[in-house]
Amino acid sequence: MHDHRRLGRDLALFDTDPLMGAGLPYWLPDGATVRHALEEYVRDAERRAGYRHVASPVLGKRELYELSGHWAHYRDDMFPPMELGGEQVVLRPSLCPHHALIYRSRARSHRELPLRMAELGAMYRAEPSGALGGLTRVRAIHLNDAHVFCTPDQAAGEARAALALIRRAYADLGITAARYRLSLPAPGGKYVAGPELWRRSTALLEEALDGLPYEAAEGEAAFYGPKIDVQIADAAGRESTLSTVQIDFHQPERFGLRYTGPDGVRHRPVMVHRSIVGSVERAVAHLVEVHGGAFPVWLAPVQLVVLPVSEAQEERAYDLVRRAAGHGLRAEVSGPDRGTLGARVRAARLVPYQAVIGAREAADDGDPVAVRLRDGRRPGPVPAEELLGRIAERARARGTGLWEDA
């Protein structure tokens, strides 16, 4: 594996500036392209799984986090309150309080449950300077977060479905989970009260993990409940959490959440917290390290580079790039002004597909290009439209293959 901090800068994916501050990286065009492709993938996967997307503000009144329990249990990791019109407002450390307010904004029926609510939203953590590093530990986090409001009987099934989404995403992204961890409270730790609710949450998570190997770890729970953490390992072998699934009885009680059951009586829902790929920052950092910058086709900043052998083929090369854009592809020309053909081929070694256009291809009415794949294969001359259609199909499939399984 590679170190994303070095490779991410070498590939011009992200950088930092002292005037923006520590732990606040900015995204360069190629990095933003990878990030946006990942976000689109997640939103599409969530829509297919029955989630509805919402958007909520990054600020909330201090009272909101007092109600959720964050102020009492998580205040040291939050930015200080800001005075605004005689009130104190806080940069949110989590999205769940906002989603609880959205849920309770109107009366709910059991017929709406499970209600799956998702948001890819910003949140802020006052990480100490010594803990910051690249994209893995930052102060402005964009989290792929979701909350499922459901009946107690539905909770284990929703947690299982979330784990299935995570496993599918990892397969599509080329990520391997280091292990599954059932994160439990430490004896004597600072957690919300309610031993019976903790036992119920833990039992439901164990039910959701049925059939998956996992390890229990004390002291890793959230302050409001146990959770399943999907662990990954970085280039140095250090473990971190990428994806999580949590079952929460605490916040529905704190926020007074209710739904009307089939018996006409108001009942308390369960809140399942779930993140498929965790924060976008940490996910991209891991993808850089896993793939060494050679991203799957659908994530690659440039999917096709067109290489005219000489200036005489440049017009044809730019026409191919325009046609590629019509297929929804990201393509660019690397012309003779950038060096010899061999040098340009080497410079584009991380691009999934290279299309070489020489005098022979330009003179052929069949519109062929000489194709080179990133893995070294050369399928031979291929009609340009066939190549573009094949690449577009690979991008839509969002897998990791290049050619044979198109």
Side-chain angles (χ1 to χ4, degrees):
M1 291 178 72
H2 304 76
D3 185 334
H4 84 277
R5 292 168 296 183
R6 178 189 58 78
L7 190 56
R9 287 179 168 85
D10 290 348
L11 297 176
L13 300 179
F14 69 92
D15 213 329
T16 57
D17 191 289
L19 287 177
M20 292 189 187
L24 298 168
Y26 60 84
W27 298 85
L28 294 163
D30 280 358
T33 298
V34 175
R35 170 185 167 165
H36 294 158
L38 180 61
E39 292 174 351
E40 289 166 9
Y41 168 84
V42 168
R43 289 193 180 101
D44 184 58
E46 288 171 336
R47 280 192 294 268
R48 292 171 183 271
Y51 287 81
R52 300 292 301 277
H53 290 95
V54 298
S56 57
V58 299
L59 292 170
K61 292 171 66 173
R62 172 178 161 173
E63 290 87 343
L64 172 60
Y65 306 106
E66 290 174 341
L67 179 61
S68 69
H70 285 83
W71 192 254
H73 297 275
Y74 203 74
R75 181 169 50 199
D76 291 344
D77 295 301
M78 297 171 62
F79 282 96
M82 296 173 279
E83 296 291 337
L84 185 65
E87 298 178 332
Q88 287 191 329
V89 295
V90 183
L91 284 168
R92 66 180 175 194
S94 175
L95 278 68
C96 45
H98 291 72
H99 289 186
L101 293 181
I102 293 173
Y103 177 89
R104 79 174 195 184
S105 64
R106 64 179 181 82
R108 304 288 180 178
S109 163
H110 67 95
R111 295 183 181 86
E112 298 177 69
L113 306 186
L115 192 156
R116 305 181 184 101
M117 187 184 300
E119 179 175 2
L120 210 159
M123 61 187 199
Y124 300 85
R125 304 276 174 88
E127 298 279 3
S129 296
L132 300 172
L135 295 175
T136 55
R137 291 292 292 272
V138 294
R139 288 172 171 160
I141 303 163
H142 295 83
L143 186 68
N144 152 235
D145 206 5
H147 299 91
V148 181
F149 301 90
C150 61
T151 69
D153 290 344
Q154 295 169 333
E158 289 299 314
R160 270 196 303 273
L163 287 170
L165 274 176
I166 291 167
R167 292 197 301 274
R168 173 59 190 270
Y170 281 26
D172 289 343
L173 292 164
I175 294 175
T176 301
R179 66 187 176 109
Y180 292 88
R181 185 179 73 191
L182 179 59
S183 296
L184 303 171
K190 189 178 180 183
Y191 304 96
V192 298
E196 177 56 30
L197 296 183
W198 280 83
R199 282 192 291 271
R200 290 178 65 191
S201 297
T202 302
L204 288 169
L205 290 176
E206 289 173 338
E207 183 181 340
L209 281 163
D210 184 40
L212 284 175
Y214 69 91
E215 301 171 22
E218 291 187 345
E220 300 293 340
F223 71 83
Y224 49 80
K227 57 194 175 94
I228 297 168
D229 290 323
V230 185
Q231 301 295 100
I232 55 171
D234 68 8
R238 295 179 296 248
E239 244 189 44
S240 60
T241 301
L242 184 61
S243 311
T244 60
V245 180
Q246 307 166 42
I247 292 180
D248 179 8
F249 289 92
H250 169 72
Q251 291 195 65
E253 183 175 329
R254 296 281 291 182
F255 282 91
L257 305 185
R258 299 285 188 180
Y259 67 91
T260 302
D263 55 3
V265 176
R266 290 168 64 77
H267 299 271
R268 183 88 65 208
V270 179
M271 193 172 179
V272 179
H273 305 238
R274 180 248 69 190
S275 180
I276 299 175
V277 296
S279 76
V280 172
E281 290 79 11
R282 182 169 290 181
V284 171
H286 191 63
L287 288 167
V288 170
E289 296 192 348
V290 167
H291 297 293
F295 297 106
V297 177
W298 60 278
L299 275 175
V302 178
Q303 296 163 320
L304 169 68
V305 63
V306 185
L307 302 156
V309 173
S310 69
E311 291 183 3
Q313 293 89 44
E314 283 194 318
E315 182 177 348
R316 168 90 181 275
Y318 281 104
D319 177 67
L320 182 56
V321 166
R322 287 190 290 271
R323 290 155 64 187
H327 284 265
L329 299 175
R330 299 183 288 273
E332 65 179 33
V333 173
S334 179
D337 58 322
R338 298 189 187 183
T340 66
L341 179 62
R344 286 180 280 146
V345 167
R346 289 190 295 274
R349 67 191 181 282
L350 298 179
V351 178
Y353 305 93
Q354 299 178 3
V356 179
I357 303 176
R360 182 186 306 172
E361 289 79 20
D364 192 323
D365 292 338
D367 195 25
V369 293
V371 180
R372 297 169 181 251
L373 305 185
R374 180 172 58 199
D375 58 16
R377 286 177 291 165
R378 300 187 186 186
V382 176
E385 277 302 313
E386 179 183 330
L387 173 65
L388 296 179
R390 185 179 283 262
I391 298 173
E393 176 58 31
R394 293 310 308 141
R396 283 193 297 271
R398 286 171 166 157
T400 56
L402 286 177
W403 194 259
E404 65 281 353
D405 52 351

